Amino acid sequence: MNLNLNQFLRFPQSRIGRYLVQVTVVAIAYAVGARLAFAIQGVDPFASSVWPPAGIAQAGLLLFGRKVWPGIFLGIFLLNLVNPSEQIFAIWVGGNVGAILQAVFAVTALRWLGFRPSLERLKDVVNLILFGGIISTQISCTIGALSLYLAGKVDWAEYWSLRWNWWLGDTMGVLILTPLILIFFRPKLTADRLKRQTETPKHYLIWRGVWLILLIGVSWLVFESKNTASISRYPLEYLPFPLIIWAALQFGQRGAVLASFIVSSIAIFGSSHGSGPFIAKAENISQAILFLQAFMAVVTITSLLLAATVAERAEVENSLRENEIKYRELVENSNSIIVKLAPDGTITFFNEFAEIFFGYNQEEIIGKNAVGTIICLTDIEGNNLELVYNKIIQNPDRFTSYENENIRRTGDRVWVSWANKPLVDAAGELLGILCIGTDITDRRKAEIALQKLNEELEIRVKERTNALKQSELQLQKQKSALIDLAKNKALNQGDLTKALQEITETASRTLEVSRSSVWLYDRTKSKMECLDLFDRALNQHDYGLELGESEYPVYFQALREERAIAAFDAQKDFRTREFVESYLIPLGITSMLDTPIQIGGETAGVLCLEQVGMPRYWTIEEQSFAVSLADSVTFAVEARERQRAEAALRQAEAKYRSIFENAIVGIFQTTPDGEYLSVNPALIRIYGYSSCEEMMGTLTDINRQLYVYPERRAEVITLMRTNGKVSDFESQVYRQDGSIIWIAENAYTVCDIHGNLLYYEGTVEDITTRKQAEAALRLEQEKSDRLLLNVLPKAIADRLKQDQSIIAETFAEVTVLFADIVGFTQISSQISPPELVSLLNDIFSTFDRLAEKHGLEKIKTIGDAYMVVGGLPTPRSDHAEAIAQMAIDMQQAIIEFSDTHNQDFSIRIGINSGPVVAGVIGIKKFIYDLWGDTVNTASRMESHGLAGCIQVTSATYQRLREKYFFESRGAIEVKGKGQMTTYLLKCRKWL
């Protein structure tokens, strides 16, 4: 209830609710305006001078949008309800269409012209008068007058007169009512207007009251008095005009439209009562109406245009005033120096920032010459600034921007960047110069400091250039040495001993060091062995020395962590001072440059350069050269390893080729597009070709030509691209003679170091014989399974396959059925044994199909007896219902069997429900059987039953009585059970 109430209360605030309210407002306003016009017309014909609904409709669509046009239709409908005259019904269609089209056209045109409802722009007033009051009203008067003519209410001779009066009434309604509604009922009030309204002084409200009283009084005096002929020639109707002009000038559009409305209303009211100047001046009523309409048009248009003009002028004045304040604040509060100079060079304006910057106030600086006050006579360099200033005054156009040195009142020198603007009058005479300056003192100081730095830098550049020339010569020497070393055959052919000798000699002679040596780690990296040491003084090579990490741990650690060990004083450097006693002092070594040798991304040794004599600073270029020499050692070691690897590869290739040629399985390489790159003899034999050339020439597209099912090749490629390989993938392929064989593929992708696929490689094995054997074995297995399923239920057969020797289960809820052919002994004595067996086979086969149909499990047949059970080996809740339905179907099947064989057959059926034990016992001739009292009782129900009937126990009856019809047999004597109440199953209940 509360929810519905809340939804009802929120409905007016919804979009649909607001729309319905807007339509209703337009409709009521339209109907009230029209009713008011008719009411006045009932008193006197002059009411036709203004038709308010035209202005109300146009204002409503301008305020709410064109979507509320149904309000016009509804307004005319309401008008007909309260004024059901013949005339209204006659113009129903014309009035509706004309009024709606007139308002929609006017609003569309005004919106297209950018009309603003505030009417504060002159063009909005003109557009409203032209499109809203003159052009659009042609639609309604044309359609309305034409509808009257077609309805037979007026003659064609009266059409144009009627149309003219209709148009004037609509036009007056639009000009008077539309502005009034737009001004006083605008949906939005701007913040500025609201501020002006709330800040209106009290005396302003008093003047409004005085104006309103005078306007009403003068208008009433003019239009409500009976004018005599002697004064009727005077334009008394224009006495309210000064008050209307006052309203437009003083109170804006609100006052203007209110004044027009008041004067027009009083004029209409007075004229309708036979008063006012228009009655006195007119010769007839039509002329008086015309005078009244002309007067109202002049009053309304004049007031609207005048108020719009005043509003636009006030808007311009406000904008100019705001701009003046804004620019004055900009000048006064600017962070720039603004100075105005007269043509003679005296200062006429000095802004606040200039006062602060130069230290003068306006009283001290105005009227004084700039030279000597803010411009010094000479700058620091001795230039005469007075001459420069005079040139600026004489030719201001040539000095629109410049920088010069200025002076503050305190005597501090400052630099200012000036932008000058000559001020000239209409005749082109110079009135003054506007100068805007920016303090650039810090920038100039920075420029001077930068100039000094540049001078110092030039000196350093010259020094560095000389050093670079020396370095360039050294670099050229190093470059030539590296080129010669790269061309050396020993480095490329894997002769490591010769290559290391060339490297150490090149290092000693190029860098002019005393000793150069190459050391490599052993496998444990716990010690290094010298592979070559060149002594330049002795010009001889040596090798075999060893360094242990346990003896020089700091040095070994530095080799692992640093790009190079450049020791100026090797005897004091912490990285090399471990060698002082044993190595440096005995050999006179003062400086060392040791560069690690990198092989495979790991440090493998060191290139050691040793200076004897004066200590030596190792330059960046020398360290880079040492790194290049270490790279050469790396290249030499890798060349030796590559030579060894190539030899091993050749041996492996020969071994692989032997395997490839003598393998019993097919080996292949194929392109990604399906072409063979190589095949071995075994694959050629498998596919039945005589040679490699024949096979590769024939099978040019493996995807189409080889595979019996081409999609298998696509599956192989997909697996290899996903997993990188495929194993034991079996497919059928064509041999050369067209026969089909089975193959098993093992293949993988071969890619380059960047992971791009190069080719596929793998093996093929002929598995046709195996597949044939598997198919034969599978066929025999299927036969065995079918035979087993004919003897045992599938679930039991599956368990026997799992080697469960004893299967026995208890089922709490099953239903057992026994059936026996009545008179079978007599029948068997009348036919031959083959015919007897055939007869039983036909009957029991029918019963088997019924058991399969109802999802029941056949247990066995004993002679002419048939046993079936529901609810095992898979339990089911409807076991009794399924057995009952099968029993009914068995009786029907026997009837049909009797008709087919022209011999009467009947069966007895007994049914019982309850728990049983089921299982398979023994080790030969398996049979799935049931045990328990439920089974014995079901058998007794059959043996004590009636021919052609289905006898059930109370247990089965209780389970089926809601779904089947039964006949109570009462209590009968049952062998081994005593008295039992039994029932005969008849048929199923069908709702």
Side-chain angles (χ1 to χ4, degrees):
M1 182 65 181
N2 292 333
L3 179 61
N4 294 333
L5 179 60
N6 292 334
Q7 292 177 346
F8 175 76
L9 294 175
R10 287 198 300 268
F11 177 74
Q13 301 176 2
S14 64
R15 184 165 59 89
I16 297 177
R18 290 197 301 271
Y19 173 72
L20 293 178
V21 170
Q22 292 169 355
V23 170
T24 304
V25 169
V26 172
I28 294 174
Y30 191 96
V32 171
R35 189 68 186 90
L36 181 62
F38 283 126
I40 299 175
Q41 189 178 23
V43 177
D44 195 271
F46 284 95
S48 62
S49 58
V50 177
W51 181 245
I56 293 171
Q58 198 169 122
L61 267 64
L62 283 171
L63 290 175
F64 303 135
R66 288 170 294 186
K67 63 181 181 297
V68 299
W69 65 264
I72 302 173
F73 178 84
L74 185 59
I76 297 175
F77 176 76
L78 294 175
L79 180 62
N80 284 332
L81 291 180
V82 299
N83 189 22
S85 64
E86 181 183 358
Q87 182 183 1
I88 296 300
F89 284 112
I91 64 171
W92 171 265
V93 176
N96 271 295
V97 174
I100 294 172
L101 289 180
Q102 172 181 301
V104 171
F105 171 78
V107 172
T108 302
L110 291 174
R111 290 277 176 83
W112 181 74
L113 293 169
F115 176 77
R116 294 182 185 175
S118 62
L119 297 176
E120 292 181 346
R121 300 186 304 177
L122 189 60
K123 71 172 187 177
D124 293 330
V125 175
V126 173
N127 288 334
L128 179 63
I129 294 170
L130 182 61
F131 289 94
I134 297 176
I135 297 177
S136 66
T137 51
Q138 301 287 341
I139 298 173
S140 180
C141 68
T142 301
I143 297 175
L146 185 62
S147 64
L148 285 176
Y149 167 73
L150 295 175
K153 298 299 180 181
V154 296
D155 297 330
W156 181 253
E158 301 174 356
Y159 171 78
W160 292 105
S161 175
L162 175 63
R163 183 184 180 281
W164 168 257
N165 292 330
W166 195 316
W167 176 74
L168 288 176
D170 284 358
T171 300
M172 290 302 102
V174 171
L175 294 180
I176 295 172
L177 271 299
T178 300
L180 180 70
I181 296 172
L182 292 179
I183 293 299
F184 284 92
F185 296 97
R186 277 183 293 174
K188 293 183 180 179
L189 189 65
T190 62
D192 292 340
R193 183 176 299 278
L194 181 61
K195 183 179 179 181
R196 290 199 296 269
Q197 290 180 3
T198 55
E199 293 178 354
T200 302
K202 292 182 179 179
H203 67 83
Y204 186 76
L205 297 176
I206 295 173
W207 278 114
R208 279 189 175 185
V210 172
W211 163 81
L212 183 61
I213 294 171
L214 289 175
L215 180 66
I216 295 175
V218 171
S219 300
W220 190 268
L221 180 65
V222 171
F223 297 107
E224 285 296 325
S225 61
K226 302 290 185 177
N227 294 323
T228 61
S230 59
I231 65 172
S232 63
R233 63 179 179 269
Y234 297 106
L236 299 178
E237 63 272 16
Y238 290 102
L239 285 178
F241 247 77
L243 297 172
I244 294 173
I245 294 173
W246 181 15
L249 295 175
Q250 188 70 24
F251 309 127
Q253 286 289 14
R254 282 178 172 257
V257 298
L258 182 60
S260 301
F261 177 73
I262 292 173
V263 173
S264 299
S265 299
I266 295 174
I268 293 172
F269 186 77
S271 298
S272 66
H273 289 79
S275 303
F278 302 119
I279 297 296
K281 290 180 181 181
E283 297 177 358
N284 51 52
I285 292 176
S286 297
Q287 191 177 39
I289 293 174
L290 185 61
F291 286 163
L292 176 61
Q293 290 172 330
F295 170 76
M296 290 188 296
V298 171
V299 168
T300 303
I301 293 173
T302 301
S303 62
L304 288 174
L305 292 175
L306 183 59
T309 304
V310 171
E312 282 192 344
R313 181 175 179 181
E315 188 69 25
V316 172
E317 290 176 352
N318 290 333
S319 178
L320 290 175
R321 192 176 299 109
E322 291 175 358
N323 288 336
E324 181 182 359
I325 295 172
K326 180 177 67 175
Y327 290 124
R328 179 174 295 279
E329 291 178 350
L330 181 63
V331 171
E332 294 297 336
N333 301 319
S334 173
N335 289 329
S336 297
I337 305 166
I338 301 178
V339 179
K340 185 178 178 182
L341 303 177
D344 61 355
T346 58
I347 298 173
T348 60
F349 177 78
F350 215 63
N351 76 331
E352 184 178 349
F353 186 82
E355 293 178 3
I356 298 171
F357 183 77
F358 287 109
Y360 295 97
N361 57 41
Q362 293 214 19
E363 291 76 11
E364 295 173 333
I365 199 68
I366 298 298
K368 293 185 179 181
N369 197 288
V371 178
T373 53
I374 63 174
I375 299 177
C376 47
L377 296 177
T378 59
D379 59 14
I380 295 178
E381 297 177 356
N383 298 317
N384 191 333
L385 296 183
E386 185 176 8
L387 294 177
V388 176
Y389 181 69
N390 291 331
K391 288 181 181 179
I392 295 173
I393 296 297
Q394 294 170 6
N395 302 285
D397 292 332
R398 294 174 54 190
F399 295 91
T400 56
S401 62
Y402 66 97
E403 299 176 357
N404 74 313
E405 192 175 331
N406 291 72
I407 189 170
R408 288 175 171 166
R409 185 174 184 175
T410 58
D412 296 335
R413 299 268 179 153
V414 292
W415 276 87
V416 179
S417 174
W418 294 100
N420 299 336
K421 173 67 177 177
L423 304 176
V424 296
D425 57 14
E429 294 294 331
L430 181 66
L431 299 177
I433 303 175
L434 179 64
C435 306
I436 301 176
T438 304
D439 181 15
I440 59 170
T441 304
D442 293 338
R443 195 193 77 189
R444 287 291 298 175
K445 290 180 179 179
E447 290 176 352
I448 293 171
L450 183 62
Q451 185 176 0
K452 292 181 179 179
L453 289 176
N454 286 337
E455 292 174 356
E456 295 177 0
L457 183 61
E458 288 179 0
I459 296 173
R460 293 182 181 179
V461 167
K462 289 180 181 179
E463 295 175 351
R464 184 59 178 165
T465 301
N466 294 330
L468 287 175
K469 288 181 180 179
Q470 295 297 325
S471 177
E472 185 177 355
L473 294 175
Q474 184 67 19
L475 286 174
Q476 188 64 35
K477 182 178 179 182
Q478 295 172 6
K479 182 179 179 181
S480 300
L482 290 174
I483 292 173
D484 294 340
L485 196 59
K487 294 178 179 179
N488 193 287
K489 294 182 179 180
L491 267 73
N492 298 290
Q493 294 178 353
D495 187 349
L496 184 61
T497 301
K498 182 63 176 177
L500 295 181
Q501 290 178 355
E502 292 290 341
I503 292 171
T504 54
E505 289 182 14
T506 300
S508 294
R509 290 167 183 162
T510 304
L511 297 181
E512 297 179 355
V513 294
S514 301
R515 294 161 60 89
S516 301
S517 56
V518 175
W519 303 70
L520 291 182
Y521 284 113
D522 64 357
R523 290 185 178 180
T524 62
K525 292 192 176 182
S526 60
K527 65 179 181 180
M528 290 189 295
E529 180 184 357
C530 179
L531 299 186
D532 185 79
L533 187 153
F534 177 70
D535 190 324
R536 188 162 66 95
L538 301 176
N539 193 28
Q540 67 180 18
H541 292 270
D542 195 4
Y543 63 92
L545 299 176
E546 291 186 353
L547 295 176
E549 184 176 7
S550 59
E551 299 172 354
Y552 310 103
V554 177
Y555 175 74
F556 274 75
Q557 182 67 25
L559 284 179
R560 286 192 290 267
E561 296 177 353
E562 300 188 28
R563 181 174 178 268
I565 299 175
F568 166 72
D569 189 346
Q571 298 180 12
K572 294 181 178 180
D573 193 298
F574 76 96
R575 298 168 294 182
T576 57
R577 63 189 177 194
E578 294 174 325
F579 298 107
V580 171
E581 300 296 334
S582 61
Y583 189 70
L584 300 180
I585 293 178
L587 297 175
I589 298 172
T590 56
S591 302
M592 293 177 63
L593 176 58
D594 290 4
T595 305
I597 299 170
Q598 300 288 331
I599 299 178
E602 296 182 356
T603 301
V606 63
L607 171 68
C608 184
L609 307 178
E610 300 162 349
Q611 173 72 16
V612 175
M614 292 297 294
R616 175 175 179 171
Y617 283 105
W618 303 101
T619 65
I620 297 298
E621 291 79 6
E622 290 172 340
Q623 294 181 42
S624 298
F625 181 68
V627 170
S628 298
L629 291 175
D631 291 340
S632 298
V633 175
T634 300
F635 182 77
V637 173
E638 289 178 344
R640 184 188 65 176
E641 297 300 323
R642 185 169 55 252
Q643 189 178 43
R644 292 177 177 176
E646 289 174 354
L649 182 62
R650 284 192 294 270
Q651 294 178 357
E653 184 179 358
K655 182 179 180 181
Y656 175 78
R657 173 59 59 183
S658 175
I659 295 173
F660 181 79
E661 296 293 340
N662 300 311
I664 61 173
V665 296
I667 302 174
F668 66 88
Q669 289 179 334
T670 65
T671 65
D673 296 331
E675 293 185 13
Y676 279 111
L677 295 174
S678 64
V679 293
N680 73 331
L683 187 63
I684 297 172
R685 290 193 301 273
I686 291 173
Y687 289 161
Y689 290 91
S690 59
S691 66
C692 176
E693 292 75 13
E694 179 188 9
M695 178 176 168
M696 295 179 66
T698 303
L699 295 178
T700 57
D701 186 352
I702 300 172
N703 302 333
R704 290 187 306 101
Q705 295 175 291
L706 181 63
Y707 288 84
V708 175
Y709 302 104
E711 62 271 12
R712 296 295 286 173
R713 173 66 176 179
E715 293 177 21
V716 171
I717 294 175
T718 301
L719 289 173
M720 284 194 291
R721 289 180 176 176
T722 303
N723 305 322
K725 65 178 182 178
V726 63
S727 301
D728 294 327
F729 191 88
E730 298 180 356
S731 304
Q732 287 180 292
V733 298
Y734 293 110
R735 299 184 83 241
Q736 192 273 343
D737 58 3
S739 59
I740 297 175
I741 62 172
W742 280 91
I743 62 169
E745 292 181 82
N746 294 279
Y748 56 89
T749 58
V750 179
C751 303
D752 60 17
I753 58 174
H754 303 293
N756 299 317
L757 178 63
L758 297 177
Y759 55 87
Y760 301 123
E761 188 173 80
T763 63
V764 172
E765 181 181 359
D766 185 354
I767 60 171
T768 304
T769 303
R770 190 191 77 193
K771 294 294 287 186
Q772 291 172 349
E774 289 175 352
L777 180 61
R778 188 164 50 252
L779 181 61
E780 293 301 321
Q781 184 67 37
E782 290 174 356
K783 290 180 181 179
S784 176
D785 289 344
R786 284 196 299 270
L787 183 60
L788 188 60
L789 290 176
N790 284 332
V791 177
L792 300 174
K794 184 177 185 304
I796 303 303
D798 292 340
R799 292 171 63 179
L800 279 177
K801 290 179 183 179
Q802 296 172 6
D803 197 24
Q804 295 189 10
S805 56
I806 298 177
I807 297 177
E809 292 179 283
T810 299
F811 294 90
E813 278 291 329
V814 300
T815 299
V816 182
L817 179 151
F818 278 91
D820 184 74
I821 300 174
V822 179
F824 179 75
T825 303
Q826 183 180 359
I827 295 173
S828 62
S829 63
Q830 297 173 357
I831 59 177
S832 64
E835 291 176 338
L836 179 62
V837 173
S838 177
L839 176 64
L840 284 176
N841 181 65
D842 291 343
I843 293 174
F844 289 165
S845 295
T846 301
F847 291 170
D848 289 344
R849 286 190 289 271
L850 290 176
E852 185 175 359
K853 171 185 174 182
H854 294 289
L856 301 172
E857 191 65 42
K858 173 187 174 182
I859 301 302
K860 59 185 175 180
T861 60
I862 305 172
D864 61 334
Y866 190 89
M867 179 180 178
V868 65
V869 63
L872 62 77
T874 302
R876 54 186 290 183
S877 59
D878 62 340
H879 54 87
E881 184 178 347
I883 286 291
Q885 196 61 44
M886 179 168 177
I888 294 172
D889 291 347
M890 290 172 68
Q891 294 287 9
Q892 182 63 35
I894 286 297
I895 293 172
E896 294 174 357
F897 194 81
S898 299
D899 295 339
T900 302
H901 290 74
N902 296 319
Q903 187 175 353
D904 290 333
F905 292 97
S906 63
I907 59 175
R908 288 189 306 270
I909 297 177
I911 301 174
N912 185 29
S913 299
V916 299
V917 175
V920 178
I921 58 176
I923 58 175
K924 293 184 178 181
K925 294 184 180 180
F926 296 120
I927 184 172
Y928 186 66
D929 208 347
L930 308 180
W931 301 276
D933 185 65
T934 300
V935 179
N936 297 332
T937 303
S939 176
R940 293 291 185 268
M941 288 298 102
E942 177 273 319
S943 62
H944 292 70
L946 302 176
C949 294
I950 305 170
Q951 182 168 254
V952 303
T953 63
S954 296
T956 304
Y957 168 75
Q958 293 298 327
R959 290 172 174 80
L960 298 176
R961 64 180 182 175
E962 300 297 332
K963 298 181 180 180
Y964 291 86
F965 289 106
F966 290 90
E967 177 185 333
S968 176
R969 192 179 178 190
I972 65 173
E973 184 68 26
V974 178
K975 182 181 179 181
K977 301 294 290 184
Q979 292 287 326
M980 289 185 68
T981 300
T982 62
Y983 300 87
L984 298 179
L985 174 64
K986 295 300 183 180
C987 63
R988 188 179 184 89
K989 293 181 180 180
W990 301 102
L991 298 180

